[in-house]
Amino acid sequence: MEFGRRRPLLRVRGRSIAWLPPLLLLAGVILLDFNTGAHFRIITWIVLVPGIAAAICGVWTTAAYSLLSLVTYVVVDNAWPDQYQAGFGDFLLVALGGALATLAAVVRMRQERQVGHIRDIAETTRRTVLRPLPPRWAGLEHAGVYLAADVDARVGGDFYDIQPSPHGTRVLVGDVQGKGLGAVEAAAALLGTFREAGYHEKDLTTVAERLEIRMLRHRSHTAALGRADGDRFATAVLIAFPEDSPEAIDVTNFGHEPPLAVGPRGVRELPSGDGAPLGLGDLAGGLPPVHRLPLAADETLLLVTDGVTEARDGPGEFYQLTREVTRAVAADPGRAEPRRLVRRVRDGVLRHTAGRLEDDTTIFAVRRLTGPGGAPGPGDASDPRDASGPGAASGSGGAWGSVDAPGPGRTAGAGDVAGI
């Protein structure tokens, strides 16, 4: 369904029954008026009928109920003797009520179209900046979820992406400091640079350098525009899956949360961020080093933003990611699979916070594919049978897919899981 299209409020088996409540109210007013006695006329209550229709029906339906209510008033009132008729004054009240109800329906529908248009723009922006990805791509199996702290938000400063290249597959996960459109712009700038440099550059250090330069250029541009976000920065983890080392990965950490390697044998934390965030490299004397770390074929790499590690419950206790993931994998080693792992962390964070997220939250899990078809391709092409299609939009900068409903009480915004 397009976002700009109004969704009927009441549906049964796919058909709208929004017209039914006003009709029942109309019938109820008529019956009550004939059964309450001559000294207690309630036919004037019929003015509520178009009012109810204005809240849940379209403009033409509301106008029809306004006219029907007026005609019904005349017929029912004239059925009583002259001395008991409500009269012309109440007729004007019903007529005015119907006109105002129709006008209210026009305003409501116009606002709904405007909101739908804004959501359409947000959806287009999301898919432009945070491109959908097939769930199995470039030799990797992955799943991700993005939960916006703002219930109306559809994209924020969290981002992740996968870029296949002739030099192996590269992965970028990050979190831009701050919120709002400025954070989205910075994330878009970094993702654009990553997609180009990640494909063309052989050396991961060069990719990292290009990201640092892009962040500095973006800050310079926003400062020249006189905006107050000229000191914005981003934490990030840049990962390469080299073709010549199937049991290892190369990692550069720009002050981001340390990744977790999750497998049937347990959970281990990879080295934490030993470098400054993107945009602050000059303060640390240069870029962070590239580390080659072991990653077994059956291990899943779990990366999160601080929306997970800083999630708090009512008393203020932080969510213990490593502890919870260790417990889950110990109980069932199959939970190390990316889709189940992301689902487990997502549900755990939402339960821990009672659905009230203080920050945008991204959870991303990736591991190498094994067997036929597991090798990454040289470019961006992939088997269309693996594509998740139009409904697969999720998370900041990754593959997007429909998310299971997290249950009542959730106040967070959009949250979509790739491949779940």
Side-chain angles (χ1 to χ4, degrees), residues 185-263:
E185 289 175 356
L190 291 173
L191 285 172
T193 298
F194 168 70
R195 289 162 186 164
E196 290 302 309
Y199 178 84
H200 291 287
E201 301 295 343
K202 181 178 180 180
D203 191 354
L204 193 66
T205 301
T206 306
V207 179
E209 182 180 4
R210 293 277 298 274
L211 290 171
E212 174 71 14
I213 294 173
R214 186 66 184 94
M215 192 68 209
L216 293 175
R217 291 175 56 202
H218 179 77
R219 286 169 49 180
S220 176
H221 178 258
T222 55
L225 292 175
R227 287 166 39 179
D229 57 351
D231 58 349
R232 194 180 296 276
F233 59 87
T235 64
V237 180
L238 178 61
I239 302 169
F241 289 80
E243 296 179 324
D244 58 351
S245 299
E247 295 288 329
I249 56 174
D250 294 329
V251 180
T252 300
N253 195 319
F254 296 90
H256 197 76
E257 305 291 335
L260 297 180
V262 183

Side-chain angles (χ1 to χ4, degrees), residues 4-7 53-60 62 102-116:
R5 188 177 301 170
R6 189 181 76 89
R7 297 182 181 182
I56 61 178
C57 298
V59 175
W60 290 108
T62 302
T102 303
L103 179 61
V106 171
V107 173
R108 179 179 63 85
M109 293 297 294
R110 184 176 299 172
Q111 290 178 340
E112 286 186 359
R113 284 193 294 269
Q114 184 178 8
V115 171

Side-chain angles (χ1 to χ4, degrees), residues 47-404:
V47 73
L48 297 175
V49 172
I52 295 297
I56 61 178
C57 298
V59 175
W60 290 108
T61 304
T62 302
Y65 271 116
S66 299
L67 181 60
L68 179 61
S69 298
L70 193 61
V71 172
T72 302
Y73 172 85
V74 173
V75 173
V76 173
D77 196 43
N78 287 332
W80 289 85
D82 292 345
Q83 64 271 29
Y84 299 123
Q85 290 181 5
F88 185 70
D90 287 349
F91 171 83
L92 290 179
L93 176 63
V94 174
L96 179 61
L100 292 177
T102 303
L103 179 61
V106 171
V107 173
R108 179 179 63 85
M109 293 297 294
R110 184 176 299 172
Q111 290 178 340
E112 286 186 359
R113 284 193 294 269
Q114 184 178 8
V115 171
H117 180 62
I118 293 174
R119 290 179 178 175
D120 232 357
I121 293 174
E123 180 72 7
T124 301
T125 301
R126 186 184 75 170
R127 287 183 173 272
T128 300
V129 177
L130 312 175
R131 60 180 180 178
L133 297 176
R136 295 169 177 260
W137 197 35
L140 301 179
E141 176 186 8
H142 65 91
V145 65
Y146 170 77
L147 300 174
D150 183 355
V151 70
D152 294 322
R154 305 197 65 80
V155 65
D158 289 3
F159 58 91
Y160 65 80
D161 200 5
I162 298 176
Q163 180 58 53
S165 80
H167 318 292
T169 302
R170 277 76 185 268
V171 174
L172 179 67
V173 177
D175 180 7
V176 176
Q177 172 264 336
K179 300 180 183 294
L181 291 178
V184 177
E185 289 175 356
L190 291 173
L191 285 172
T193 298
F194 168 70
R195 289 162 186 164
E196 290 302 309
Y199 178 84
H200 291 287
E201 301 295 343
K202 181 178 180 180
D203 191 354
L204 193 66
T205 301
T206 306
V207 179
E209 182 180 4
R210 293 277 298 274
L211 290 171
E212 174 71 14
I213 294 173
R214 186 66 184 94
M215 192 68 209
L216 293 175
R217 291 175 56 202
H218 179 77
R219 286 169 49 180
S220 176
H221 178 258
T222 55
L225 292 175
R227 287 166 39 179
D229 57 351
D231 58 349
R232 194 180 296 276
F233 59 87
T235 64
V237 180
L238 178 61
I239 302 169
F241 289 80
E243 296 179 324
D244 58 351
S245 299
E247 295 288 329
I249 56 174
D250 294 329
V251 180
T252 300
N253 195 319
F254 296 90
H256 197 76
E257 305 291 335
L260 297 180
V262 183
R265 293 171 297 280
V267 179
R268 56 189 178 89
E269 186 176 288
L270 302 185
S272 59
D274 49 6
L278 290 168
L280 302 179
D282 291 342
L283 300 179
L287 299 175
V290 176
H291 299 284
R292 174 151 292 194
L293 304 172
L295 185 71
D298 59 353
E299 285 186 311
T300 297
L301 201 60
L302 176 65
L303 303 104
V304 301
T305 58
D306 57 8
V308 173
T309 56
E310 296 181 5
R312 303 191 187 197
D313 59 9
E317 181 181 351
F318 289 106
Y319 178 73
Q320 300 297 322
L321 174 65
T322 304
R323 183 187 67 188
E324 295 301 322
V325 172
T326 301
R327 288 178 178 176
V329 175
D332 180 7
R335 287 179 176 169
E337 189 266 333
R339 291 179 299 173
R340 298 184 63 188
L341 183 59
V342 167
R343 185 187 295 116
R344 177 66 178 82
V345 176
R346 177 204 62 188
D347 294 346
V349 170
L350 289 175
R351 280 194 303 267
H352 186 76
T353 62
R356 292 182 289 271
L357 301 178
E358 298 296 330
D359 195 5
D360 294 343
T361 300
T362 293
I363 308 162
F364 179 70
V366 59
R367 72 178 178 186
R368 284 187 174 93
L369 286 170
T370 58
D380 289 346
S382 60
D383 189 341
R385 293 172 297 178
D386 289 337
S388 48
S394 159
S396 291
W400 296 66
S402 61
V403 66
D404 299 334

